[in-house]
Amino acid sequence: IGTSTAVMHNEAYGWDNWLLMGERDNISWHTGINVNVVNDTHEIVVNAGVSLGEIAFFDPQSDWTSEKVSNLAPGGEILASISVEDAAAGTAEDYAIIYAIEEGAELANGTPAPARAVGFSLPGQGLMAPEVMTDDAWALYDAAIGWLNPPQIPPMVAHWPLDEGSGTVAHDVVGGNDGTL
């Protein structure tokens, strides 16, 4: 808790320890293949190139640990979930599979997130093998890593548009590096 380094935690049993979720609320294993992508505007989903709606996440089916979407920290954005039926009650509950929390967004205890964080449930119960996840699942995973650690672009130190006339001074529109053509 409180690390200033970006974090991706891959199992729901620890999400509350990072304050990404409230106190544990019916964390459990769920077996399936598909997830429902519910946010197509977040950079992770955009960069993964997946669309809204149901996508295959596992092949063959595997297990997620997950937590109720309703337990997500106030500053979290749900990106993908599964719906779990409670046949006895005749209801369904959405469980988080992928979510993101921006630096400064509100955590479960009301404090600001010290860094970006992603909750990303991966296959468990002995099935942690690369071939279990589909290409779409790997695209989401890679995009999440990229969002957590965006490439650093060095600042521009000079820019000469070279639009001056012949024999005049070439003006640097960024820095102070003028020169003669």
Side-chain angles (χ1 to χ4, degrees), residues 47-127:
N47 289 343
V50 297
S51 301
L52 279 179
E54 196 169 88
I55 64 167
F57 195 86
F58 294 136
D59 184 22
Q61 78 177 14
S62 190
D63 300 305
W64 297 277
T65 59
S66 55
E67 171 67 275
K68 290 180 179 179
V69 167
S70 60
N71 206 26
L72 183 62
E77 291 183 64
I78 189 72
L79 306 180
S81 62
I82 58 173
S83 186
V84 177
E85 301 285 330
D86 181 345
T91 61
E93 184 82 43
D94 287 335
Y95 283 79
I97 299 300
I98 306 170
Y99 60 89
I101 298 178
E102 180 63 73
E103 180 178 351
E106 185 179 349
L107 294 174
N109 68 349
T111 62
R116 285 180 165 181
V118 171
F120 197 108
S121 186
L122 289 179
Q125 298 194 353
L127 298 174

Side-chain angles (χ1 to χ4, degrees), residues 10-169:
N10 298 116
E11 193 206 13
Y13 286 96
W15 291 347
D16 63 326
N17 295 333
W18 293 97
L19 303 173
L20 309 177
M21 291 278 182
E23 291 296 319
R24 290 183 180 159
D25 182 27
N26 198 22
I27 295 173
S28 56
W29 289 97
H30 302 287
T31 301
I33 293 175
N34 297 329
V35 299
N36 188 28
V37 176
V38 297
N39 182 336
D40 68 347
T41 61
H42 193 279
E43 186 179 334
I44 292 172
V45 177
V46 170
N47 289 343
V50 297
S51 301
L52 279 179
E54 196 169 88
I55 64 167
F57 195 86
F58 294 136
D59 184 22
Q61 78 177 14
S62 190
D63 300 305
W64 297 277
T65 59
S66 55
E67 171 67 275
K68 290 180 179 179
V69 167
S70 60
N71 206 26
L72 183 62
E77 291 183 64
I78 189 72
L79 306 180
S81 62
I82 58 173
S83 186
V84 177
E85 301 285 330
D86 181 345
T91 61
E93 184 82 43
D94 287 335
Y95 283 79
I97 299 300
I98 306 170
Y99 60 89
I101 298 178
E102 180 63 73
E103 180 178 351
E106 185 179 349
L107 294 174
N109 68 349
T111 62
R116 285 180 165 181
V118 171
F120 197 108
S121 186
L122 289 179
Q125 298 194 353
L127 298 174
M128 185 61 160
E131 62 272 10
V132 174
M133 289 173 51
T134 64
D135 288 345
D136 283 342
W138 279 113
L140 286 162
Y141 188 86
D142 291 345
I145 294 292
W147 183 76
L148 288 169
N149 299 298
Q152 298 300 312
I153 300 170
M156 185 182 298
V157 295
H159 174 220
W160 298 279
L162 301 177
D163 57 358
E164 295 85 2
S166 174
T168 63
V169 173

